[in-house]
Amino acid sequence: MLRYATLRILGAIPTLLLVIAIAFLMVHSAPGGPFDRERVLAPEVERNIERAYHLDESLPEQFSRYLQGLLHGDLGPSYRYRDYTVAELIGGALPLSIRLGALAMALALVAGVSAGMVAALRKNTIIDRLVTGIAMIGISVPVFVIAPLMVLVFAVFLNWLPASWTGGNAANRMLMPVIALALPQIAYIARLTRASMINVMNSDFVRTARAQGLSTISIVRYHAIKPAMLPLLSYMGPAIAGVLTGSVVVEEVFGIPGVGQFFIRGALNRDYTLVLGITVFYATLVIFLNLIVDLLYGFLDPRIRGR
Amino acid sequence: MSLLEINELTIRYADTPEPVVKGLTLAVERGESIGIVGESGSGKTQSAMAIMGLLPANAQVSGTVHFDGTELTGAADHVLNQYRACRIAMVFQDPRTALNPYVRIGKQLRRILLEHKICGRAEANVRTLDMLNKVGLSDPERQFRAFPHELSGGMRQRVMIGAALIGEPDLLVADEPTTALDVTVQAQILSLVRRLHAETNSALLLITHDLGVVAGNCERVVVMDRGRLVEEGMTRGVFRDPASEKTRALLLAAPHIDSIVMSEPVSADTGPVLEIEDIAVSFKERRSKGGRSLHAVKPMSFSLQERETVAVVGESGSGKTSLARAILGLLPADGGQVCFLGKTLPAHIGARKNTVRRNLQMVFQDPLASLNPAMSVREIVMEPLRIHERGKKKAGLNNDVAVMLASVGLDPGLAGRYPHELSGGQAQRVAIARSLILKPKVLICDEAVAALDGTVQLEILKLLLAEQERSGLSLVFITHDLAVVRQISHRVLVMYMGRLCEIAKNESLFTRPRHPYAKALLSSVPVLDPDARPVDLPLAGEASSMLSPPTGCLFHPRCQHAVAACSESVPELIDCDGSLVACHRAAELDLGY
């Protein structure tokens, strides 16, 4: 197990390097630079700024300087928010983004698993059709359509909830962003749970349990729930990645001052280090969480555990 | 009033033209043992499912099933649940899938007691341990906490039987309880079922395709054919004097130790086609688990004459399949060599010439799994020709395929079908046609008839023997079924844990086995005679771990004739009246059968 974990961690390094390299290249190949303005700067000033931020060096030199910084946990200074480092910016916005993401994940799991279970146990009934139908919509309609629509309906027409982060109280201004962020995940998880539950309920050992006179509730509780939830666990990695990327859109739509908003601002301002820093941070997070999911999987399946 | 009364039971599915069970009427008395026999598709399992109320939702059931006076067909689940486990319990065919792999064994048994509120948690624990002990698990405390995959197939089936009996039912329905198990383990499980049936006074309804199993275990027998009951009576009477045509056919086709030997003798003057010298196969364990070697096949030698059939027998895990694959070069051999017509072959199939490869062909166990589902029968049978006889005209190929299909007894109209449209027997004929179309000198059959019904099995065996007679084909026939061995082989190789125990002529092995393991295998086979009392526990225990094999003779921990020398040195193969036997006591023991 330990050996497996070590190998997985070491295996993540090349992936991470590749992500950094591609992000670095893409940011640098975008036209214009962080200090281009309408007003032309004096050449000496421009040169001084470039030297201060090492923009006068060649790309490989800049890249290796960036990597060396990363080794010390230094994501570099922000080009736009002059007094802050990228790490400070992320650190400041992170708690809010984490709260949003965690609430969305929790909602997605509870709602998705319940809907999937009910659909599986009531297979081919109206309830099942309803769940699978709604899930299909949840998967096909992107967040950037759902979120503004929600604002339109619940904030503008019905006036139930605040339209953005500046209005309402701490609880109700979180409600719409969390739901918007969770919706696609609820849909995926419901479909996954339904399929895996139906599969397990058709297995030989459930037939045995039925022959032993166990009620459906007992069968689900003592026999079916664990094997049915295992495939869900391996979806947690992609789900987390989905919530992270979704949060970029949701934070922008609802005006939430989280990491995602910094990411978009950074991209629009050509704030190289900020965009790169957030990319690297998110990539590390996704890889790390995927690793935890994999290890957990091995731990929960008794047939893999011993190896 | 009988315990169970089935009246005019008919089960029909919307997507099948015929009902799967047609008007079955049957009564089971308290405490009796009754067997239901029939081939696959005869409706025996469907009938059992109807008794348990476990038929799928789309089954249309008419007729009645009364248990102790209560109507069970159409009863609601909460009513059925009062009967399941406490009054009627069931043992399923495959113990590998019938137990929940995620739940500890003790908990699965205990749940039954708790669900039916038979007793409290503390007593449920005691009763569960007690039951595990009763079904012959040596260390109940440890087995209680074990997960199913930690136990062998035989052990798991013991657990299944324990789970069925823990609610003290009045009727035990066992659906092919030993079909997935080795013959020696089958003997152990059947002996356990007999003992528990006698002790508990519950009635036993045993469903099987194996008439030998019925003969030794059931007082009464019911024969089913295509959904109908065709014969019913006391086992002895039915076996002696079968009234229906189907029963007679089943009895004739039933492979048993006293089967008629069908193979023609080999003429002595032909040279060996295949010579195997000191071939060995081993697998390396992963380094993280200790990096030990598993010797699947220990160095062994034998030869194969033209027109000869050599059978290879042994329990699962004895190395039969590894041996076959090593001969074909599909698996890297550790050492030794394979000579074909006097020439030594490269160990790996990729290095062998096409002329050699076409002469060594193989037929696999599961006919459906070994046929490409995306290819039609014609394409499957033609494929070897496309590879080995390039440049042949399309018309010629089509003609060859048609001739081949006809010679394995397949309707030429089947050529356009795809594998999933074939029955098991037809699929195996296609597989055989595919391997014979190259006119090989040697055909290796790895459990080629194990998945087939008795009558179909017999047809396939006859087909292979006819081909042998016609073309001089040599056969290596790998099987766990000694009755098949008796029917078709000239010589027999008995393997145990990768080592040769005995090489003997068909006649000598079955009349005078020399190795105690060969003898145990023979006595494990159910006998087709209802008067012959089955031998209780011809072979106790299970094979030792291949990763830490015992010293000396590998069989000595289970051998009732073992002496001190057996655990000290490995017995060499010695000649005993023409049989080669690897046993220290071969000369002195008299194991006459």
PDB file of all heavy atoms in Angstrom, chain A residues 191-223:
ATOM      1  N   ARG A 191     -27.068   9.578 -11.987  1.00  0.00           N
ATOM      2  CA  ARG A 191     -27.007   8.566 -13.049  1.00  0.00           C
ATOM      3  C   ARG A 191     -26.075   7.420 -12.682  1.00  0.00           C
ATOM      4  O   ARG A 191     -26.386   6.251 -12.873  1.00  0.00           O
ATOM      5  CB  ARG A 191     -26.524   9.209 -14.355  1.00  0.00           C
ATOM      6  CG  ARG A 191     -27.624   9.929 -15.107  1.00  0.00           C
ATOM      7  CD  ARG A 191     -27.044  10.833 -16.154  1.00  0.00           C
ATOM      8  NE  ARG A 191     -26.205  10.102 -17.085  1.00  0.00           N
ATOM      9  CZ  ARG A 191     -26.605   9.730 -18.291  1.00  0.00           C
ATOM     10  NH1 ARG A 191     -27.808  10.030 -18.712  1.00  0.00           N
ATOM     11  NH2 ARG A 191     -25.803   9.066 -19.088  1.00  0.00           N
ATOM     12  N   LEU A 192     -24.923   7.788 -12.126  1.00  0.00           N
ATOM     13  CA  LEU A 192     -23.929   6.782 -11.736  1.00  0.00           C
ATOM     14  C   LEU A 192     -24.489   5.870 -10.642  1.00  0.00           C
ATOM     15  O   LEU A 192     -24.378   4.639 -10.712  1.00  0.00           O
ATOM     16  CB  LEU A 192     -22.690   7.517 -11.231  1.00  0.00           C
ATOM     17  CG  LEU A 192     -21.385   6.757 -11.278  1.00  0.00           C
ATOM     18  CD1 LEU A 192     -21.030   6.454 -12.713  1.00  0.00           C
ATOM     19  CD2 LEU A 192     -20.284   7.587 -10.639  1.00  0.00           C
ATOM     20  N   THR A 193     -25.092   6.488  -9.632  1.00  0.00           N
ATOM     21  CA  THR A 193     -25.655   5.714  -8.521  1.00  0.00           C
ATOM     22  C   THR A 193     -26.745   4.778  -9.026  1.00  0.00           C
ATOM     23  O   THR A 193     -26.797   3.606  -8.646  1.00  0.00           O
ATOM     24  CB  THR A 193     -26.258   6.650  -7.460  1.00  0.00           C
ATOM     25  OG1 THR A 193     -25.270   7.596  -7.069  1.00  0.00           O
ATOM     26  CG2 THR A 193     -26.715   5.864  -6.249  1.00  0.00           C
ATOM     27  N   ARG A 194     -27.603   5.298  -9.911  1.00  0.00           N
ATOM     28  CA  ARG A 194     -28.695   4.482 -10.426  1.00  0.00           C
ATOM     29  C   ARG A 194     -28.137   3.251 -11.137  1.00  0.00           C
ATOM     30  O   ARG A 194     -28.525   2.122 -10.848  1.00  0.00           O
ATOM     31  CB  ARG A 194     -29.542   5.303 -11.401  1.00  0.00           C
ATOM     32  CG  ARG A 194     -30.647   4.516 -12.038  1.00  0.00           C
ATOM     33  CD  ARG A 194     -31.431   5.354 -13.030  1.00  0.00           C
ATOM     34  NE  ARG A 194     -32.463   4.545 -13.665  1.00  0.00           N
ATOM     35  CZ  ARG A 194     -32.262   3.816 -14.755  1.00  0.00           C
ATOM     36  NH1 ARG A 194     -31.077   3.805 -15.327  1.00  0.00           N
ATOM     37  NH2 ARG A 194     -33.234   3.099 -15.264  1.00  0.00           N
ATOM     38  N   ALA A 195     -27.186   3.494 -12.057  1.00  0.00           N
ATOM     39  CA  ALA A 195     -26.637   2.385 -12.846  1.00  0.00           C
ATOM     40  C   ALA A 195     -25.967   1.361 -11.936  1.00  0.00           C
ATOM     41  O   ALA A 195     -26.180   0.156 -12.063  1.00  0.00           O
ATOM     42  CB  ALA A 195     -25.650   2.916 -13.869  1.00  0.00           C
ATOM     43  N   SER A 196     -25.177   1.841 -10.994  1.00  0.00           N
ATOM     44  CA  SER A 196     -24.407   0.908 -10.176  1.00  0.00           C
ATOM     45  C   SER A 196     -25.319   0.170  -9.198  1.00  0.00           C
ATOM     46  O   SER A 196     -25.135  -1.008  -8.916  1.00  0.00           O
ATOM     47  CB  SER A 196     -23.261   1.653  -9.501  1.00  0.00           C
ATOM     48  OG  SER A 196     -23.292   1.530  -8.138  1.00  0.00           O
ATOM     49  N   MET A 197     -26.345   0.857  -8.726  1.00  0.00           N
ATOM     50  CA  MET A 197     -27.298   0.223  -7.809  1.00  0.00           C
ATOM     51  C   MET A 197     -28.097  -0.869  -8.522  1.00  0.00           C
ATOM     52  O   MET A 197     -28.290  -1.957  -7.987  1.00  0.00           O
ATOM     53  CB  MET A 197     -28.237   1.307  -7.258  1.00  0.00           C
ATOM     54  CG  MET A 197     -29.076   0.853  -6.088  1.00  0.00           C
ATOM     55  SD  MET A 197     -28.032   0.518  -4.668  1.00  0.00           S
ATOM     56  CE  MET A 197     -29.241  -0.224  -3.603  1.00  0.00           C
ATOM     57  N   ILE A 198     -28.518  -0.578  -9.754  1.00  0.00           N
ATOM     58  CA  ILE A 198     -29.272  -1.578 -10.518  1.00  0.00           C
ATOM     59  C   ILE A 198     -28.404  -2.807 -10.755  1.00  0.00           C
ATOM     60  O   ILE A 198     -28.823  -3.948 -10.595  1.00  0.00           O
ATOM     61  CB  ILE A 198     -29.745  -0.991 -11.870  1.00  0.00           C
ATOM     62  CG1 ILE A 198     -30.878  -0.003 -11.617  1.00  0.00           C
ATOM     63  CG2 ILE A 198     -30.192  -2.081 -12.832  1.00  0.00           C
ATOM     64  CD1 ILE A 198     -31.362   0.722 -12.856  1.00  0.00           C
ATOM     65  N   ASN A 199     -27.136  -2.533 -11.079  1.00  0.00           N
ATOM     66  CA  ASN A 199     -26.178  -3.609 -11.303  1.00  0.00           C
ATOM     67  C   ASN A 199     -26.034  -4.497 -10.068  1.00  0.00           C
ATOM     68  O   ASN A 199     -26.111  -5.722 -10.138  1.00  0.00           O
ATOM     69  CB  ASN A 199     -24.833  -2.963 -11.654  1.00  0.00           C
ATOM     70  CG  ASN A 199     -23.934  -3.913 -12.363  1.00  0.00           C
ATOM     71  OD1 ASN A 199     -24.371  -5.003 -12.714  1.00  0.00           O
ATOM     72  ND2 ASN A 199     -22.695  -3.515 -12.569  1.00  0.00           N
ATOM     73  N   VAL A 200     -25.870  -3.841  -8.910  1.00  0.00           N
ATOM     74  CA  VAL A 200     -25.687  -4.602  -7.665  1.00  0.00           C
ATOM     75  C   VAL A 200     -26.967  -5.354  -7.300  1.00  0.00           C
ATOM     76  O   VAL A 200     -26.918  -6.512  -6.895  1.00  0.00           O
ATOM     77  CB  VAL A 200     -25.261  -3.667  -6.521  1.00  0.00           C
ATOM     78  CG1 VAL A 200     -25.275  -4.397  -5.197  1.00  0.00           C
ATOM     79  CG2 VAL A 200     -23.886  -3.092  -6.787  1.00  0.00           C
ATOM     80  N   MET A 201     -28.120  -4.716  -7.494  1.00  0.00           N
ATOM     81  CA  MET A 201     -29.376  -5.376  -7.116  1.00  0.00           C
ATOM     82  C   MET A 201     -29.658  -6.588  -8.007  1.00  0.00           C
ATOM     83  O   MET A 201     -30.456  -7.446  -7.650  1.00  0.00           O
ATOM     84  CB  MET A 201     -30.555  -4.388  -7.191  1.00  0.00           C
ATOM     85  CG  MET A 201     -30.544  -3.326  -6.098  1.00  0.00           C
ATOM     86  SD  MET A 201     -30.459  -3.962  -4.414  1.00  0.00           S
ATOM     87  CE  MET A 201     -32.175  -4.346  -4.096  1.00  0.00           C
ATOM     88  N   ASN A 202     -29.009  -6.659  -9.178  1.00  0.00           N
ATOM     89  CA  ASN A 202     -29.170  -7.822 -10.048  1.00  0.00           C
ATOM     90  C   ASN A 202     -28.133  -8.906  -9.778  1.00  0.00           C
ATOM     91  O   ASN A 202     -28.131  -9.934 -10.442  1.00  0.00           O
ATOM     92  CB  ASN A 202     -29.066  -7.400 -11.520  1.00  0.00           C
ATOM     93  CG  ASN A 202     -30.352  -6.763 -11.995  1.00  0.00           C
ATOM     94  OD1 ASN A 202     -31.419  -7.048 -11.447  1.00  0.00           O
ATOM     95  ND2 ASN A 202     -30.255  -5.895 -12.968  1.00  0.00           N
ATOM     96  N   SER A 203     -27.216  -8.654  -8.829  1.00  0.00           N
ATOM     97  CA  SER A 203     -26.119  -9.603  -8.653  1.00  0.00           C
ATOM     98  C   SER A 203     -26.585 -10.841  -7.882  1.00  0.00           C
ATOM     99  O   SER A 203     -27.623 -10.841  -7.238  1.00  0.00           O
ATOM    100  CB  SER A 203     -24.963  -8.929  -7.918  1.00  0.00           C
ATOM    101  OG  SER A 203     -25.374  -8.630  -6.613  1.00  0.00           O
ATOM    102  N   ASP A 204     -25.781 -11.880  -8.002  1.00  0.00           N
ATOM    103  CA  ASP A 204     -26.125 -13.150  -7.362  1.00  0.00           C
ATOM    104  C   ASP A 204     -26.242 -13.026  -5.853  1.00  0.00           C
ATOM    105  O   ASP A 204     -27.089 -13.654  -5.238  1.00  0.00           O
ATOM    106  CB  ASP A 204     -25.052 -14.200  -7.697  1.00  0.00           C
ATOM    107  CG  ASP A 204     -25.302 -14.829  -9.050  1.00  0.00           C
ATOM    108  OD1 ASP A 204     -26.230 -14.373  -9.733  1.00  0.00           O
ATOM    109  OD2 ASP A 204     -24.573 -15.767  -9.409  1.00  0.00           O
ATOM    110  N   PHE A 205     -25.368 -12.206  -5.246  1.00  0.00           N
ATOM    111  CA  PHE A 205     -25.427 -12.192  -3.779  1.00  0.00           C
ATOM    112  C   PHE A 205     -26.650 -11.468  -3.256  1.00  0.00           C
ATOM    113  O   PHE A 205     -27.118 -11.742  -2.155  1.00  0.00           O
ATOM    114  CB  PHE A 205     -24.121 -11.673  -3.157  1.00  0.00           C
ATOM    115  CG  PHE A 205     -23.755 -10.250  -3.491  1.00  0.00           C
ATOM    116  CD1 PHE A 205     -24.350  -9.197  -2.820  1.00  0.00           C
ATOM    117  CD2 PHE A 205     -22.805  -9.974  -4.446  1.00  0.00           C
ATOM    118  CE1 PHE A 205     -23.999  -7.892  -3.105  1.00  0.00           C
ATOM    119  CE2 PHE A 205     -22.454  -8.671  -4.745  1.00  0.00           C
ATOM    120  CZ  PHE A 205     -23.042  -7.632  -4.074  1.00  0.00           C
ATOM    121  N   VAL A 206     -27.222 -10.581  -4.055  1.00  0.00           N
ATOM    122  CA  VAL A 206     -28.493  -9.962  -3.643  1.00  0.00           C
ATOM    123  C   VAL A 206     -29.623 -10.981  -3.794  1.00  0.00           C
ATOM    124  O   VAL A 206     -30.521 -11.047  -2.957  1.00  0.00           O
ATOM    125  CB  VAL A 206     -28.763  -8.678  -4.445  1.00  0.00           C
ATOM    126  CG1 VAL A 206     -30.199  -8.220  -4.268  1.00  0.00           C
ATOM    127  CG2 VAL A 206     -27.817  -7.583  -4.001  1.00  0.00           C
ATOM    128  N   ARG A 207     -29.537 -11.802  -4.834  1.00  0.00           N
ATOM    129  CA  ARG A 207     -30.524 -12.874  -4.970  1.00  0.00           C
ATOM    130  C   ARG A 207     -30.467 -13.801  -3.749  1.00  0.00           C
ATOM    131  O   ARG A 207     -31.483 -14.217  -3.216  1.00  0.00           O
ATOM    132  CB  ARG A 207     -30.246 -13.669  -6.250  1.00  0.00           C
ATOM    133  CG  ARG A 207     -31.307 -14.711  -6.547  1.00  0.00           C
ATOM    134  CD  ARG A 207     -30.913 -15.551  -7.735  1.00  0.00           C
ATOM    135  NE  ARG A 207     -29.670 -16.279  -7.464  1.00  0.00           N
ATOM    136  CZ  ARG A 207     -29.065 -17.060  -8.342  1.00  0.00           C
ATOM    137  NH1 ARG A 207     -29.559 -17.203  -9.545  1.00  0.00           N
ATOM    138  NH2 ARG A 207     -27.960 -17.687  -8.031  1.00  0.00           N
ATOM    139  N   THR A 208     -29.222 -14.114  -3.317  1.00  0.00           N
ATOM    140  CA  THR A 208     -29.074 -14.940  -2.120  1.00  0.00           C
ATOM    141  C   THR A 208     -29.750 -14.268  -0.938  1.00  0.00           C
ATOM    142  O   THR A 208     -30.490 -14.908  -0.186  1.00  0.00           O
ATOM    143  CB  THR A 208     -27.573 -15.138  -1.794  1.00  0.00           C
ATOM    144  OG1 THR A 208     -26.923 -15.622  -2.951  1.00  0.00           O
ATOM    145  CG2 THR A 208     -27.390 -16.099  -0.657  1.00  0.00           C
ATOM    146  N   ALA A 209     -29.502 -12.974  -0.770  1.00  0.00           N
ATOM    147  CA  ALA A 209     -30.079 -12.259   0.369  1.00  0.00           C
ATOM    148  C   ALA A 209     -31.602 -12.266   0.293  1.00  0.00           C
ATOM    149  O   ALA A 209     -32.280 -12.403   1.309  1.00  0.00           O
ATOM    150  CB  ALA A 209     -29.553 -10.822   0.404  1.00  0.00           C
ATOM    151  N   ARG A 210     -32.130 -12.170  -0.934  1.00  0.00           N
ATOM    152  CA  ARG A 210     -33.594 -12.223  -1.072  1.00  0.00           C
ATOM    153  C   ARG A 210     -34.099 -13.606  -0.685  1.00  0.00           C
ATOM    154  O   ARG A 210     -35.132 -13.739  -0.025  1.00  0.00           O
ATOM    155  CB  ARG A 210     -34.007 -11.902  -2.512  1.00  0.00           C
ATOM    156  CG  ARG A 210     -33.655 -10.479  -2.911  1.00  0.00           C
ATOM    157  CD  ARG A 210     -34.720  -9.818  -3.735  1.00  0.00           C
ATOM    158  NE  ARG A 210     -34.924 -10.439  -5.033  1.00  0.00           N
ATOM    159  CZ  ARG A 210     -36.124 -10.610  -5.591  1.00  0.00           C
ATOM    160  NH1 ARG A 210     -37.195 -10.201  -4.960  1.00  0.00           N
ATOM    161  NH2 ARG A 210     -36.223 -11.161  -6.772  1.00  0.00           N
ATOM    162  N   ALA A 211     -33.358 -14.649  -1.092  1.00  0.00           N
ATOM    163  CA  ALA A 211     -33.757 -16.013  -0.744  1.00  0.00           C
ATOM    164  C   ALA A 211     -33.681 -16.225   0.761  1.00  0.00           C
ATOM    165  O   ALA A 211     -34.309 -17.124   1.304  1.00  0.00           O
ATOM    166  CB  ALA A 211     -32.871 -17.018  -1.459  1.00  0.00           C
ATOM    167  N   GLN A 212     -32.878 -15.400   1.444  1.00  0.00           N
ATOM    168  CA  GLN A 212     -32.762 -15.514   2.901  1.00  0.00           C
ATOM    169  C   GLN A 212     -33.857 -14.717   3.607  1.00  0.00           C
ATOM    170  O   GLN A 212     -33.858 -14.611   4.823  1.00  0.00           O
ATOM    171  CB  GLN A 212     -31.382 -15.037   3.349  1.00  0.00           C
ATOM    172  CG  GLN A 212     -30.268 -15.986   2.934  1.00  0.00           C
ATOM    173  CD  GLN A 212     -28.897 -15.370   3.072  1.00  0.00           C
ATOM    174  OE1 GLN A 212     -28.767 -14.173   3.282  1.00  0.00           O
ATOM    175  NE2 GLN A 212     -27.877 -16.194   2.968  1.00  0.00           N
ATOM    176  N   GLY A 213     -34.758 -14.124   2.820  1.00  0.00           N
ATOM    177  CA  GLY A 213     -35.895 -13.432   3.427  1.00  0.00           C
ATOM    178  C   GLY A 213     -35.584 -12.046   3.950  1.00  0.00           C
ATOM    179  O   GLY A 213     -36.307 -11.535   4.795  1.00  0.00           O
ATOM    180  N   LEU A 214     -34.513 -11.431   3.476  1.00  0.00           N
ATOM    181  CA  LEU A 214     -34.210 -10.069   3.916  1.00  0.00           C
ATOM    182  C   LEU A 214     -35.124  -9.078   3.197  1.00  0.00           C
ATOM    183  O   LEU A 214     -35.373  -9.218   2.006  1.00  0.00           O
ATOM    184  CB  LEU A 214     -32.736  -9.724   3.628  1.00  0.00           C
ATOM    185  CG  LEU A 214     -31.737 -10.010   4.748  1.00  0.00           C
ATOM    186  CD1 LEU A 214     -31.719 -11.487   5.072  1.00  0.00           C
ATOM    187  CD2 LEU A 214     -30.348  -9.556   4.365  1.00  0.00           C
ATOM    188  N   SER A 215     -35.601  -8.073   3.916  1.00  0.00           N
ATOM    189  CA  SER A 215     -36.444  -7.061   3.291  1.00  0.00           C
ATOM    190  C   SER A 215     -35.575  -6.178   2.395  1.00  0.00           C
ATOM    191  O   SER A 215     -34.353  -6.153   2.531  1.00  0.00           O
ATOM    192  CB  SER A 215     -37.115  -6.212   4.359  1.00  0.00           C
ATOM    193  OG  SER A 215     -36.127  -5.498   5.068  1.00  0.00           O
ATOM    194  N   THR A 216     -36.237  -5.460   1.493  1.00  0.00           N
ATOM    195  CA  THR A 216     -35.475  -4.608   0.561  1.00  0.00           C
ATOM    196  C   THR A 216     -34.604  -3.605   1.320  1.00  0.00           C
ATOM    197  O   THR A 216     -33.449  -3.374   0.966  1.00  0.00           O
ATOM    198  CB  THR A 216     -36.437  -3.861  -0.373  1.00  0.00           C
ATOM    199  OG1 THR A 216     -37.285  -4.815  -0.998  1.00  0.00           O
ATOM    200  CG2 THR A 216     -35.675  -3.095  -1.441  1.00  0.00           C
ATOM    201  N   ILE A 217     -35.167  -3.041   2.403  1.00  0.00           N
ATOM    202  CA  ILE A 217     -34.388  -2.074   3.181  1.00  0.00           C
ATOM    203  C   ILE A 217     -33.130  -2.733   3.756  1.00  0.00           C
ATOM    204  O   ILE A 217     -32.031  -2.195   3.675  1.00  0.00           O
ATOM    205  CB  ILE A 217     -35.266  -1.482   4.305  1.00  0.00           C
ATOM    206  CG1 ILE A 217     -36.389  -0.661   3.677  1.00  0.00           C
ATOM    207  CG2 ILE A 217     -34.438  -0.639   5.249  1.00  0.00           C
ATOM    208  CD1 ILE A 217     -37.412  -0.166   4.676  1.00  0.00           C
ATOM    209  N   SER A 218     -33.283  -3.928   4.303  1.00  0.00           N
ATOM    210  CA  SER A 218     -32.131  -4.643   4.861  1.00  0.00           C
ATOM    211  C   SER A 218     -31.112  -4.967   3.776  1.00  0.00           C
ATOM    212  O   SER A 218     -29.908  -4.865   3.992  1.00  0.00           O
ATOM    213  CB  SER A 218     -32.570  -5.950   5.516  1.00  0.00           C
ATOM    214  OG  SER A 218     -33.262  -5.686   6.698  1.00  0.00           O
ATOM    215  N   ILE A 219     -31.614  -5.368   2.614  1.00  0.00           N
ATOM    216  CA  ILE A 219     -30.696  -5.723   1.523  1.00  0.00           C
ATOM    217  C   ILE A 219     -29.869  -4.503   1.130  1.00  0.00           C
ATOM    218  O   ILE A 219     -28.646  -4.578   1.001  1.00  0.00           O
ATOM    219  CB  ILE A 219     -31.475  -6.265   0.308  1.00  0.00           C
ATOM    220  CG1 ILE A 219     -32.040  -7.639   0.640  1.00  0.00           C
ATOM    221  CG2 ILE A 219     -30.570  -6.355  -0.921  1.00  0.00           C
ATOM    222  CD1 ILE A 219     -32.910  -8.233  -0.436  1.00  0.00           C
ATOM    223  N   VAL A 220     -30.542  -3.363   0.974  1.00  0.00           N
ATOM    224  CA  VAL A 220     -29.812  -2.156   0.593  1.00  0.00           C
ATOM    225  C   VAL A 220     -28.814  -1.806   1.678  1.00  0.00           C
ATOM    226  O   VAL A 220     -27.639  -1.550   1.414  1.00  0.00           O
ATOM    227  CB  VAL A 220     -30.798  -0.982   0.361  1.00  0.00           C
ATOM    228  CG1 VAL A 220     -30.040   0.321   0.208  1.00  0.00           C
ATOM    229  CG2 VAL A 220     -31.654  -1.245  -0.861  1.00  0.00           C
ATOM    230  N   ARG A 221     -29.249  -1.864   2.934  1.00  0.00           N
ATOM    231  CA  ARG A 221     -28.412  -1.389   4.026  1.00  0.00           C
ATOM    232  C   ARG A 221     -27.225  -2.315   4.294  1.00  0.00           C
ATOM    233  O   ARG A 221     -26.104  -1.861   4.466  1.00  0.00           O
ATOM    234  CB  ARG A 221     -29.289  -1.287   5.277  1.00  0.00           C
ATOM    235  CG  ARG A 221     -28.570  -0.732   6.449  1.00  0.00           C
ATOM    236  CD  ARG A 221     -29.555  -0.290   7.517  1.00  0.00           C
ATOM    237  NE  ARG A 221     -28.874  -0.224   8.793  1.00  0.00           N
ATOM    238  CZ  ARG A 221     -29.486  -0.353   9.963  1.00  0.00           C
ATOM    239  NH1 ARG A 221     -30.796  -0.554  10.000  1.00  0.00           N
ATOM    240  NH2 ARG A 221     -28.813  -0.283  11.076  1.00  0.00           N
ATOM    241  N   TYR A 222     -27.484  -3.621   4.321  1.00  0.00           N
ATOM    242  CA  TYR A 222     -26.414  -4.529   4.736  1.00  0.00           C
ATOM    243  C   TYR A 222     -25.646  -5.133   3.569  1.00  0.00           C
ATOM    244  O   TYR A 222     -24.560  -5.642   3.746  1.00  0.00           O
ATOM    245  CB  TYR A 222     -26.980  -5.648   5.617  1.00  0.00           C
ATOM    246  CG  TYR A 222     -27.588  -5.134   6.891  1.00  0.00           C
ATOM    247  CD1 TYR A 222     -28.969  -5.083   7.064  1.00  0.00           C
ATOM    248  CD2 TYR A 222     -26.771  -4.657   7.921  1.00  0.00           C
ATOM    249  CE1 TYR A 222     -29.522  -4.600   8.232  1.00  0.00           C
ATOM    250  CE2 TYR A 222     -27.320  -4.161   9.084  1.00  0.00           C
ATOM    251  CZ  TYR A 222     -28.692  -4.129   9.237  1.00  0.00           C
ATOM    252  OH  TYR A 222     -29.233  -3.631  10.389  1.00  0.00           O
ATOM    253  N   HIS A 223     -26.239  -5.157   2.390  1.00  0.00           N
ATOM    254  CA  HIS A 223     -25.561  -5.844   1.295  1.00  0.00           C
ATOM    255  C   HIS A 223     -25.218  -4.927   0.115  1.00  0.00           C
ATOM    256  O   HIS A 223     -24.153  -5.049  -0.462  1.00  0.00           O
ATOM    257  CB  HIS A 223     -26.423  -7.005   0.780  1.00  0.00           C
ATOM    258  CG  HIS A 223     -26.396  -8.201   1.667  1.00  0.00           C
ATOM    259  ND1 HIS A 223     -25.309  -9.035   1.749  1.00  0.00           N
ATOM    260  CD2 HIS A 223     -27.297  -8.693   2.534  1.00  0.00           C
ATOM    261  CE1 HIS A 223     -25.555 -10.000   2.622  1.00  0.00           C
ATOM    262  NE2 HIS A 223     -26.761  -9.810   3.118  1.00  0.00           N
TER     263      HIS A 223
END
